[in-house]
């Protein structure tokens, strides 16, 4: 006897849910990418109080179809070309659904042997795919923000100041700890410094060069300055695939510098790490294999539904020393097993490796490479069209599938907010969603291709929309272009 809903009823609703998902994936392109609603429209459809009595699953699924599905921003839409699209896939969705059915909590090997061992195996598969050394041991977190925080906590633990036991406050003998990253790095680096008690003021944003890569001489100079002032350099975070332009920091010489200085090197490859499964893109990231820790998000560009972030750390014993704390009720006696709770601050863990396993097996390494290559080729083609158009220019090199570009304006300071207005017009049309960025203080259009449903026809239609909408604005503005 089960106090859950009758299995037959659940089975029927699961079948219907499978149809809802498959229909959604098949027809998502019919929606505008951004739902045409105003803040509060969804909330108005939802009863203010919870139901006293249970409602039929069919009725709930009807409401899902009517109120929820149309009113999300459609990340699965072929015209979703904003941010780094969290690119789902059929196999990933199946893995996510199966994980929900099992509902295991992989905090200990004992609390789910299969979840623990599959996570280790999948992380090692991905390590091999990215051509990283065998001593990189991976585990899965929710996001790169968590992975970077955990990695930097290990870096802090390596310093001879016993922060774990004594903390940082009220210790005049402890110098300020300093973190170095480029002016293009993701804000998750700043947040890690804030959470770890370093203080935001002790994050050094190192200037980047003309191709948006961290400047090595600037990094060297700032470290020397900090040492001379009695501060303690803790870690450098180099980025392979920065958020705005996907630029790649010179990791190899940064690794040399870190080795000389005894500074922890963390590599943020949250986005572009996935491209490292293709040898030709891995070759763009020399030196990442020398990191003390590295993060890559399969949920950004390896067709795995959010959330799935893999953190590799070389010195797992150190990571455990930073985090392991075993209350009596969690003590188990299996020797030589991994207890995932020892590798970070959280206890409970979802069975995230199941979806990664599904994705890697269903597409195969070659299939994944083909998809990434196709998306990079689409990005290159868009870049070629931009370069060939006298009204536009690329704003940054295009190493992968993200393209940053600007209109050639009479006044590059863009006093008429041409780019913001153009971006808004592209998004208002319905079939596309692109999100701008700012480079050296100038608003920049940015298209990122990472969605399995996006084909050449969508990029062609997008370029047509961009040029047409720009023409409308140019007429509005008179002499808009240079
Ligand atoms: N690192 C880079 C380079 C990113 O672009 C992002 C997000 O886009 C992050 C880290 C943060 O990722 P998450 O949302 O998984 O925390």
């Amino acid at each position: 006897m089960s106090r859950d809903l009758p299995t037959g009823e659940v089975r029927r609703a699961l079948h219907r849910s499978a149809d809802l998902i498959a229909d959604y994936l098949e027809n998502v392109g019919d929606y505008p990418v951004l739902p045409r609603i105003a803040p509060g429209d969804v909330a108005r459809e939802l009863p203010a109080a919870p139901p006293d009595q249970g409602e039929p699953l069919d009725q709930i699924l009807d409401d899902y179809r009517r109120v929820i599905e149309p009113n999300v921003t459609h990340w699965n839409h072929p015209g979703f070309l904003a941010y780094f699209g969290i690119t789902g896939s059929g196999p990933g969705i199946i893995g996510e659904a199966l994980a929900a059915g099992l509902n295991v909590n992989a905090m200990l090997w004992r609390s789910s042997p299969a979840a623990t061992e599959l996570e280790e195996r999948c992380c090692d598969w991905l390590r091999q795919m990215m051509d990283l050394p065998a001593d990189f041991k991976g585990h899965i977190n929710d996001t790169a923000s968590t992975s970077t925080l955990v990695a930097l906590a290990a870096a802090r633990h390596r310093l001879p100041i016993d922060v774990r036991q004594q903390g940082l406050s009220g210790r005049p003998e402890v110098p300020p700890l300093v973190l170095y990253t480029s002016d293009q790095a993701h804000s998750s680096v700043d947040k890690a410094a804030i959470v770890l008690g370093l203080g935001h003021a002790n994050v050094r944003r190192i200037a980047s060069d003309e191709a948006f890569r961290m400047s090595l001489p600037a990094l060297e100079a700032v470290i020397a300055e900090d040492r001379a002032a009695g501060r303690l350099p803790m870690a450098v975070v180099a980025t392979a695939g920065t958020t705005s332009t996907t630029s790649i920091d010179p990791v190899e010489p940064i690794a040399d510098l870190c080795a000389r200085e005894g500074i922890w090197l963390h590599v943020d490859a949250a986005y572009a790490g996935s491209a490292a499964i293709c040898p030709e893109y891995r070759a763009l990231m020399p030196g990442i294999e020398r990191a003390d820790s590295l993060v890559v998000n399969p949920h950004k560009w390896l067709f795995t539904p959010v959330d799935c972030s893999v953190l590799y750390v070389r010195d797992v014993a150190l990571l455990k020393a930073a985090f392991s704390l075993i209350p009596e009720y969690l003590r188990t006696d299996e020797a030589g097993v991994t207890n995932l709770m020892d590798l970070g601050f959280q206890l409970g863990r979802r069975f995230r490796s199941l979806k990664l396993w599904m994705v890697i097996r269903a597409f195969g390494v070659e299939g994944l490479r083909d998809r990434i290559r196709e998306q990079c080729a689409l990005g290159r083609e868009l870049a070629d069209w931009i370069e060939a158009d006298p009204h536009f220019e690329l704003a940054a090199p295009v190493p992968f599938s993200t393209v940053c570009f600007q209109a050639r304006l009479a006044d590059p300071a863009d006093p008429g907010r041409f780019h913001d207005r153009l971006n808004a017009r592209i998004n208002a049309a319905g079939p596309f969603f692109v999100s701008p960025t700012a480079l050296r203080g100038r608003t920049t259009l940015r298209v990122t291709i990472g969605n399995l449903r996006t084909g050449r026809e969508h990029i062609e239609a997008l370029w047509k929309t961009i040029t047409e909408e720009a023409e409308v604005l140019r007429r509005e503005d008179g002499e808009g272009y240079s």
Side-chain angles (χ1 to χ4, degrees):
M1 143 95 177
S2 164
R3 283 167 185 77
D4 196 353
L5 292 180
T7 310
E9 207 177 301
V10 173
R11 186 187 301 277
R12 271 192 305 281
L14 279 171
H15 284 149
R16 185 172 167 208
S17 301
D19 283 337
L20 281 171
I21 293 170
D23 288 347
Y24 175 67
L25 295 178
E26 206 160 70
N27 303 315
V28 61
D30 296 343
Y31 284 114
V33 189
L34 297 167
R36 299 218 158 102
I37 56 171
D41 283 356
V42 174
R44 253 191 304 283
E45 291 286 332
L46 306 171
D52 278 334
Q53 305 300 323
E55 300 176 75
L57 289 176
D58 260 332
Q59 196 175 314
I60 305 169
L61 290 176
D62 286 346
D63 284 345
Y64 163 82
R65 180 72 185 76
R66 184 179 61 83
V67 181
I68 307 299
E69 185 189 291
N71 292 323
V72 297
T73 293
H74 299 283
W75 288 69
N76 282 311
H77 194 292
F80 187 105
L81 301 160
Y83 315 123
F84 287 135
I86 44 175
T87 59
S89 64
I93 293 167
I94 295 166
E96 190 76 298
L98 292 173
L102 291 174
N103 192 32
V104 298
N105 190 336
M107 51 202 188
L108 300 164
W109 182 88
R110 181 73 282 161
S111 71
S112 184
T116 303
E117 294 185 14
L118 187 67
E119 183 160 326
E120 291 187 296
R121 184 50 51 98
C122 284
C123 291
D124 199 61
W125 281 359
L126 183 58
R127 174 195 69 73
Q128 295 172 49
M129 290 156 66
M130 294 173 66
D131 192 22
L132 293 171
D135 62 345
F136 271 52
K137 299 292 179 217
H139 70 275
I140 303 181
N141 292 303
D142 51 0
T143 58
S145 304
T146 296
S147 293
T148 292
L149 173 62
V150 167
L152 294 177
R156 192 183 63 175
H157 190 73
R158 196 170 71 169
L159 300 173
I161 51 174
D162 192 17
V163 179
R164 172 169 169 143
Q165 201 53 33
Q166 301 187 52
L168 283 171
S169 61
R171 298 181 66 193
E173 78 281 12
V174 174
L177 312 183
V178 190
L179 188 57
Y180 305 84
T181 199
S182 91
D183 58 13
Q184 300 297 308
H186 190 261
S187 53
S188 52
V189 180
D190 303 79
K191 286 201 178 179
I194 294 166
V195 173
L196 290 170
L198 273 61
H200 203 183
N202 290 312
V203 178
R204 303 277 180 265
R205 287 291 199 148
I206 307 297
S208 54
D209 65 13
E210 72 296 339
F212 305 99
R213 299 166 301 202
M214 195 193 301
S215 154
L216 189 71
L219 174 64
E220 276 171 331
V222 174
I223 290 175
E225 216 173 276
D226 279 326
R227 287 225 193 268
R231 294 183 279 263
L232 183 54
M234 185 186 93
V236 175
V237 179
T239 311
T242 56
T243 311
S244 283
T245 69
T246 69
S247 60
I248 305 150
D249 286 337
V251 184
E252 186 87 72
I254 292 174
D256 289 338
L257 175 63
C258 287
R260 272 199 314 276
E261 294 274 344
I263 300 175
W264 185 282
L265 173 60
H266 176 64
V267 171
D268 178 354
Y271 160 75
S274 295
I277 69 168
C278 305
E280 68 275 29
Y281 294 120
R282 174 66 174 83
L284 300 181
M285 311 171 205
I288 63 170
E289 70 283 355
R290 295 179 56 195
D292 292 290
S293 53
L294 177 146
V295 57
V296 52
N297 277 12
H299 82 224
K300 281 202 198 305
W301 201 12
L302 209 63
F303 317 120
T304 307
V306 67
D307 51 7
C308 185
S309 173
V310 178
L311 173 63
Y312 292 100
V313 176
R314 276 209 135 92
D315 189 346
V316 176
L318 178 82
L319 185 63
K320 281 189 190 159
F323 283 110
S324 182
L325 201 155
I326 308 171
E328 216 34 61
Y329 81 105
L330 293 173
R331 210 166 280 287
T332 53
D333 51 14
E334 291 84 13
V337 298
T338 296
N339 291 318
L340 289 165
M341 70 166 190
D342 290 339
L343 305 180
F345 55 83
Q346 74 212 88
L347 172 62
R349 279 169 188 275
R350 302 178 58 230
F351 193 170
R352 295 191 183 90
S353 57
L354 201 49
K355 57 190 169 186
L356 185 55
W357 185 59
M358 284 276 172
V359 167
I360 296 174
R361 289 193 60 188
F363 292 123
V365 179
E366 276 307 327
L368 291 167
R369 286 187 183 127
D370 289 347
R371 285 163 173 81
I372 282 175
R373 284 180 178 132
E374 188 189 347
Q375 296 180 340
C376 290
L378 281 178
R380 190 59 253 165
E381 199 166 11
L382 174 61
D384 290 344
W385 296 335
I386 291 164
E387 281 181 311
D389 189 313
H391 294 315
F392 286 93
E393 62 189 338
L394 288 179
V398 181
F400 305 108
S401 66
T402 296
V403 185
C404 291
F405 58 105
Q406 287 160 342
R408 291 179 191 270
L409 300 177
D411 181 350
D414 195 5
R417 300 182 55 253
F418 185 91
H419 290 106
D420 290 311
R421 285 156 61 218
L422 179 54
N423 204 95
R425 290 186 75 96
I426 298 163
N427 291 347
F432 304 107
F433 176 36
V434 295
S435 55
T437 188
L439 295 175
R440 312 280 184 240
R442 286 181 63 194
T443 305
T444 306
L445 297 169
R446 178 181 176 281
V447 171
T448 190
I449 301 163
N451 191 314
L452 287 176
R453 285 169 187 79
T454 305
R456 187 173 188 279
E457 68 278 19
H458 302 107
I459 301 303
E460 245 178 328
L462 170 72
W463 180 236
K464 187 163 176 284
T465 301
I466 291 170
T467 49
E468 285 172 1
E469 297 294 347
E471 196 54 31
V472 173
L473 283 184
R474 194 185 64 82
R475 280 200 298 272
E476 262 176 29
D477 288 2
E479 285 308 299
Y481 288 119
S482 63

